[in-house]
Amino acid sequence: MSAPAPSTTVLRPAHQDDVPLILELVRELAVYERLEHEAVATAADMHAALFGPRPAAEVLVAEHGGQAAGFALFFTSFSTFLGKPGLYLEDLFVRPAYRGLGIGRRLMVELARIALARGYGRFEWSVLDWNAPAIAFYRGLGAQPMDGWTVQRVTGAALQALAGASD
C-alpha cells in the first residue's frame, strides 16, 4: 500500500498509539475554546477511556497529506423518546492550517454514516454560543439549534458533594 498523495485526506479510527496525538489535539481545541485550564486529561486517562476494558468513546483521526489535521471524538447516547441510541459528538477540531479543505465536513459526514449504519436515531452535539464560524458550519450541514434546552453540568467538588448527599 502506498502513502496517500499529499492532497488527500484520510479518515481513520484512532488506535492506541494515537493517545499522545489525541491529547495534543484536545489541548489545541481547548486553547481555541479558551478553556485550556479545563484540559487536564492525562495519557493514562485517555488510554483507559478510549482503549480500556469498557471504552467510553471513539475517535476518528483526519490526516491530510500524511499529517494529523484534526479529529472527532464521539460516544453513544440514548433517547428514551426514540427508544434508540444516538451518536454524541463531544469534540470536533481541525487544525487552523487545514481549515477550508473540507476536513470538518468529511468528519461530520462520516459520523452521520456511522450513526445510520449502527441504527442510531440521532446525531447531536453542543457548540459554544460565541463560536460563530462553527455555528455557521453546522447550519450549513442542516443542523438545528435545540431552543429551550440548556446544558447542565455537575463536576469536581460539586459532583463529589452531590454523590455524598444524603437522600
Side-chain angles (χ1 to χ4, degrees):
M1 179 182 239
S2 61
S7 63
T8 62
T9 298
V10 174
L11 304 183
R12 63 171 179 80
H15 46 76
Q16 293 187 41
D17 294 342
D18 288 320
V19 167
L21 169 64
I22 294 165
L23 279 174
E24 184 179 318
L25 291 166
V26 166
R27 289 188 179 114
E28 289 177 36
L29 170 62
V31 168
Y32 174 77
E33 291 184 339
R34 305 173 200 151
L35 296 169
E36 59 266 33
H37 61 283
E38 292 186 23
V40 297
T42 66
D45 294 333
M46 197 65 72
H47 187 273
L50 299 176
F51 304 104
R54 188 172 174 181
E58 299 174 63
V59 175
L60 286 178
V61 175
E63 295 175 341
H64 187 79
Q67 300 298 311
F71 80 113
L73 187 145
F74 61 99
F75 54 88
T76 303
S77 61
F78 188 80
S79 169
T80 55
F81 288 7
L82 296 177
K84 293 183 178 186
L87 189 148
Y88 189 87
L89 174 62
E90 178 68 19
D91 290 327
L92 176 72
F93 180 71
V94 176
R95 286 178 157 157
Y98 298 97
R99 292 181 187 156
L101 300 175
I103 295 170
R105 180 175 179 75
R106 291 234 3 236
L107 285 163
M108 294 297 284
V109 166
E110 185 60 21
L111 293 170
R113 289 176 178 160
I114 289 169
L116 289 176
R118 294 179 183 180
Y120 292 177
R122 62 171 59 152
F123 171 24
E124 60 190 349
W125 59 92
S126 296
V127 60
L128 292 165
D129 59 5
W130 59 260
N131 194 344
I135 293 168
F137 169 69
Y138 296 140
R139 293 298 172 275
L141 297 175
Q144 297 297 315
M146 296 296 299
D147 292 334
W149 292 86
T150 303
V151 175
Q152 304 295 304
R153 179 177 294 162
V154 179
T155 187
L159 177 59
Q160 299 256 339
L162 180 59
S166 59
D167 295 338

